[in-house]
Amino acid sequence: MEKTQEHNDREPSESRTTPASPTCASSTSVKCAGSTSFHPPPKQSPWSEISPPPTYRPIRSPAINPPPNTNSQAIILAPVPQSQKVLAISLPHTFQSPSKKIHSPDDIRQFINSDSSKNFLGFIVSLSESTRSHKTSDSFHESTTVKKIVSIIETLIQWTEEIPPAQQSSRYGNISYRTWHNRLVENSESLMLQILPELLKSSMVEIVPYFTDSFGNSSRIDYGTGHETNFSAWLYCLARMGVIEEVDYQALVSRVFVNYIELMRKLQLVYNLEPAGSHGVWGLDDYHFLPYIFGSSQLINHKFMKPKSIHNEDILENFSNEYMYLSCIVFIKKVKKGLFAEHSPLLDDISGVPNWNKVNSGLLKMYRAEVLEKVPIMQHFLFGSLIQCS
């Protein structure tokens, strides 16, 4: 300690000189004959390291409490899922009643590594590619089957008008939804007969459960990405049976899926469906995932609209009917209050991605990791002869 103090009492320009004389009058000078002042200290910046100058400040401050157990790095490093041709079944085929088979992470790994899982995800990628750089209103092939599926969804929308919500005090879960869902179950086979040829009527035992699970759970009165995945699984089963073909894919997105999202938003607003398995503020969306994948594909190579365009109210107002991604943003802003960056931080972060191609590939990887690889979601998924667990 004494050596340290002795060093601090010397003039900075000298090294180990004779200590100052005790007869010095000023304590600010090391040598009586020398200057009585040191060089002025360097001027300090008024900005601390924690708070840099305004020109370096981010638009939105980093989140104070990031989501727990995030695997974002694993998602970034994962390969982008690729499209695959749907594996068609051979007739005659033995259909079976599907059942739940996911109970643990080991079951998930078995499913993800299976050919069935890769073909199912490849089907979703193919749907995404079919609508690449296309507006919803663009012309496309629309088969009789597609028109019948759209008609079925329009019927389900009409039922919401016929079954009004019950008067109750609880915010979520209007019990009238159970009446709507019961009507769905009761009429499901007759609805399937509208699109199935005579040769495939025996498939109803397998595809009806996917269909009835596509619109939420009547016991919990909730809806989430697992139910949305059931709807895409139902379409995949129809594709495997040859009821819908690859030429129908763009229509499946721009007509069938657009109407399906319209129906689900109607159900969410009328019956106040609770989000199923929502990540809260850290989720992409309380209810949906696939419209962001298909919607980002629609916007790939757009001349003017970039991911950051979701913050432009004029663009949202004028183009949300043409692009599913923008439609999702409009709906979120309608049902949620406050700053967008606070109630939807993940979507806000995605708006900083430079182009839609990167957004689309990132969302495909995220869908596999956050939906198909999650036990809480996939434990309710059904497996049969058309979609196998291994």
Side-chain angles (χ1 to χ4, degrees), residues 18-32:
T18 306
S21 169
T23 59
C24 290
S26 172
S27 62
T28 60
S29 177
V30 175
K31 297 186 290 184
C32 293

Side-chain angles (χ1 to χ4, degrees), residues 70-85:
T70 180
N71 61 341
S72 57
Q73 190 63 24
I75 295 175
I76 293 173
L77 297 176
V80 179
Q82 300 298 309
S83 62
Q84 285 191 15
K85 287 188 176 296

Side-chain angles (χ1 to χ4, degrees), residues 264-278:
M264 292 319 306
R265 287 176 182 158
K266 187 87 171 177
L267 293 173
Q268 291 156 25
L269 293 176
V270 172
Y271 303 119
N272 295 323
L273 302 187
E274 189 168 0
S278 171

Side-chain angles (χ1 to χ4, degrees), residues 47-265:
W47 307 100
S48 67
E49 293 181 359
I50 298 177
S51 180
T55 52
Y56 295 99
R57 290 190 176 186
I59 295 175
R60 180 173 64 82
S61 300
I64 298 174
N65 298 311
N69 301 323
T70 180
N71 61 341
S72 57
Q73 190 63 24
I75 295 175
I76 293 173
L77 297 176
V80 179
Q82 300 298 309
S83 62
Q84 285 191 15
K85 287 188 176 296
V86 170
L87 301 175
I89 63 171
S90 299
L91 296 177
H93 180 86
T94 302
F95 297 99
Q96 63 186 62
S97 179
S99 59
K100 300 177 182 178
K101 300 204 176 161
I102 299 293
H103 307 289
S104 68
D106 288 338
D107 296 332
I108 284 287
R109 281 189 288 271
Q110 185 180 23
F111 169 60
I112 288 297
N113 293 327
S114 68
D115 291 338
S116 185
S117 167
K118 293 173 184 176
N119 196 234
F120 172 54
L121 183 55
F123 169 69
I124 292 176
V125 178
S126 296
L127 291 181
S128 174
E129 291 179 351
S130 72
T131 193
R132 183 185 180 112
S133 303
H134 289 294
K135 300 193 300 291
T136 300
S137 63
D138 282 354
S139 59
F140 45 78
H141 170 78
E142 190 171 359
S143 65
T144 302
T145 300
V146 168
K147 292 178 180 178
K148 289 180 179 179
I149 296 175
V150 172
S151 176
I152 290 173
I153 296 175
E154 290 173 344
T155 298
L156 302 185
I157 293 175
Q158 179 61 34
W159 289 354
T160 64
E161 303 292 337
E162 300 171 6
I163 305 173
Q167 296 296 321
Q168 61 184 52
S169 57
S170 59
R171 177 186 176 191
Y172 280 116
N174 192 283
I175 58 175
S176 288
Y177 170 74
R178 290 177 178 151
T179 304
W180 183 93
H181 198 275
N182 287 339
R183 184 184 290 190
L184 168 71
V185 174
E186 291 169 359
N187 291 272
S188 57
E189 290 192 3
S190 62
L191 293 174
M192 291 303 98
L193 289 175
Q194 295 181 27
I195 59 175
L196 291 176
E198 184 70 29
L199 197 61
L200 291 170
K201 285 185 178 180
S202 60
S203 69
M204 286 197 294
V205 66
E206 185 160 347
I207 67 171
V208 165
Y210 289 112
F211 180 74
T212 55
D213 279 354
S214 297
F215 309 97
N217 182 277
S218 60
S219 298
R220 299 185 302 269
I221 313 184
D222 64 5
Y223 173 86
T225 52
H227 302 104
E228 182 185 70
T229 299
N230 272 306
F231 186 73
S232 59
W234 176 67
L235 295 176
Y236 172 73
C237 290
L238 295 180
R240 286 212 65 190
M241 296 188 297
V243 177
I244 54 179
E245 302 174 349
E246 194 168 344
V247 69
D248 297 317
Y249 284 4
Q250 187 179 349
L252 286 182
V253 176
S254 297
R255 290 285 285 134
V256 173
F257 213 88
V258 165
N259 279 272
Y260 169 71
I261 296 300
E262 179 186 349
L263 166 62
M264 292 319 306
R265 287 176 182 158

Side-chain angles (χ1 to χ4, degrees), residues 291-292 295-296 299 310 323-329 347 350 356:
Y292 293 94
S296 59
L299 288 159
I310 67 167
Y323 299 99
M324 297 178 71
Y325 196 102
L326 302 183
S327 175
C328 290
I329 300 299
L347 287 170
I350 292 174
W356 289 110

